[in-house]
Amino acid sequence: MRALVIDDSRAMRRIVSAALEGFGYETRQAGHGREALDVLQEGYGPDLCTIDWNMPVMDGLQFVSAVRANPAWRTVTLMMVTSESEQSQIVRALAAGAHEYVIKPFTADALRDKLALLGMLPQEAVL
Amino acid sequence: MTLAPARAGRQVITALIDEVTVESIATEAWIALVGEDEVLVPLAGDLPAETLSAWVDVVGPWTGSVVLTTGRQTAADLTRALLREAAPELLDHEDVVDAFGEIANVVGGNVKASLPGPSTLGLPQVGAAPAVRNPEDVCRLGVLWRGQPLVVSVQGALPPLPSPHTPNENPHQNGASL
């Protein structure tokens, strides 16, 4: 399975990518929403996008809306991974089309649990 | 926990959050980001002369910044802890800005969630800490990480409110009332 990790922090991209690779994902990274849309338009077809909220150029909420507006990307699972933890923000993200919401800081186990709920754990990580 | 009473019109941070909550947020961030064995000891220490701060701004019913300040070498050590095996042999300033800023982002986002909302969170900034505008509007936590001092300061961006007028005070010089 493929994942696109979108975060303006290189350190956080490394942390999320390492966790996903540990579950069996192949990962790519993008530093903001616009760059992530470019990756999708290139034809990289991820099964999962993990998305930070506060980023320069294009934030995570704008990215979610852009992906949901394009029928070609309707099968991509969108997971917010962000320090925005106000209830109203979570509701906004889910209303815009995000499937799940993980609040930073998180542990690899918490990320695994969320992916399991979505049925998005690669088979080798389930065993 | 004892929170300071609110002043009419605008609450200072000590009426909204206390050091115990800030410590709990910082500890959770450290365990998840820096490492499971990394401990923050709630003891204040003297910061060295050469410090670096990372902060995020919160704008909402309470407006201010969540600022982490530590020695430059400790900020570099934090960066290596975050990057782990991905850390380059020689860290450049951008590595430290990125990693230290992300820690401030995570701590700040969770502090924001503890405050009345809705609020917005700014992007992380790294450099010299923003000035304290109102000493009453500061919640300051001193900790030690690997024996080195680090300060988490939740500080208001607004100056103190002017003292309220006394009942017989009239702002109109001719004494006329409106």
Side-chain angles (χ1 to χ4, degrees):
Chain A
M1 295 177 86
R2 293 169 152 189
L4 179 58
V5 176
I6 311 162
D7 198 303
D8 58 330
S9 164
R10 198 155 23 115
M12 186 52 70
R13 291 200 300 271
R14 184 204 62 76
I15 290 170
V16 176
S17 296
L20 292 174
E21 286 164 10
F23 303 150
Y25 273 90
E26 169 201 319
T27 65
R28 277 188 68 173
Q29 301 181 4
H32 52 72
R34 181 67 253 172
E35 190 182 332
L37 285 179
D38 290 344
V39 171
L40 295 182
Q41 279 158 355
E42 279 171 17
Y44 183 72
D47 302 285
L48 169 74
C49 290
T50 67
I51 311 149
D52 186 21
W53 189 303
N54 293 304
M55 296 181 286
V57 185
M58 176 185 277
D59 69 27
L61 193 64
Q62 291 170 317
F63 173 79
V64 167
S65 300
V67 170
R68 284 291 161 253
N70 188 331
W73 298 329
R74 68 181 180 279
T75 59
V76 181
T77 296
L78 303 178
M79 176 185 280
M80 301 298 292
V81 179
T82 172
S83 57
E84 281 284 358
S85 48
E86 277 183 29
Q87 192 65 30
S88 61
Q89 300 290 65
I90 296 172
V91 170
R92 282 180 72 196
L94 297 177
H99 294 91
E100 191 50 91
Y101 204 101
V102 176
I103 295 170
K104 297 175 187 173
F106 60 89
T107 61
D109 287 344
L111 188 59
R112 175 199 286 262
D113 290 347
K114 292 282 188 177
L115 290 169
L117 281 174
L118 292 168
M120 292 296 295
L121 268 185
Q123 199 56 41
E124 58 264 41
V126 176
L127 297 175
Chain B
M1 100 183 154
T2 307
L3 297 175
R7 287 177 64 183
R10 195 172 88 200
Q11 288 186 303
V12 293
I13 194 64
T14 44
L16 303 169
I17 199 168
D18 60 11
E19 291 90 344
V20 173
T21 306
V22 175
E23 184 190 339
S24 166
I25 289 168
T27 296
E28 198 181 338
W30 243 251
I31 290 169
L33 296 176
V34 185
E36 284 181 17
D37 301 330
E38 301 290 350
V39 177
L40 288 180
V41 180
L43 285 175
D46 291 333
L47 288 168
E50 292 276 308
T51 61
L52 190 67
S53 294
W55 69 95
V56 288
D57 295 332
V58 176
V59 177
W62 178 85
T63 291
S65 305
V66 181
V67 186
L68 273 60
T69 300
T70 192
R72 286 184 174 268
Q73 183 56 51
T74 307
D77 292 343
L78 269 172
T79 301
R80 288 196 181 282
L82 248 75
L83 292 174
R84 297 190 181 108
E85 67 280 359
E89 199 164 322
L90 282 177
L91 286 178
D92 62 33
H93 184 62
E94 288 308 306
D95 294 320
V96 178
V97 166
D98 176 79
F100 197 28
E102 183 61 16
I103 296 174
N105 180 47
V106 172
V107 173
N110 286 275
V111 166
K112 179 178 89 95
S114 299
L115 303 177
S119 302
T120 58
L121 192 67
L123 293 172
Q125 302 176 71
V126 176
V132 170
R133 302 291 304 277
N134 177 4
E136 287 184 16
D137 197 7
V138 177
C139 177
R140 191 175 193 275
L141 171 72
V143 295
L144 299 175
W145 174 65
R146 295 183 181 175
Q148 298 302 312
L150 184 139
V151 173
V152 182
S153 175
V154 186
Q155 58 189 60
L158 303 175
L161 289 171
S163 302
H165 293 296
T166 53
N168 57 358
E169 191 176 359
N170 190 327
H172 303 284
Q173 288 188 348
N174 63 3
S177 58
L178 297 175

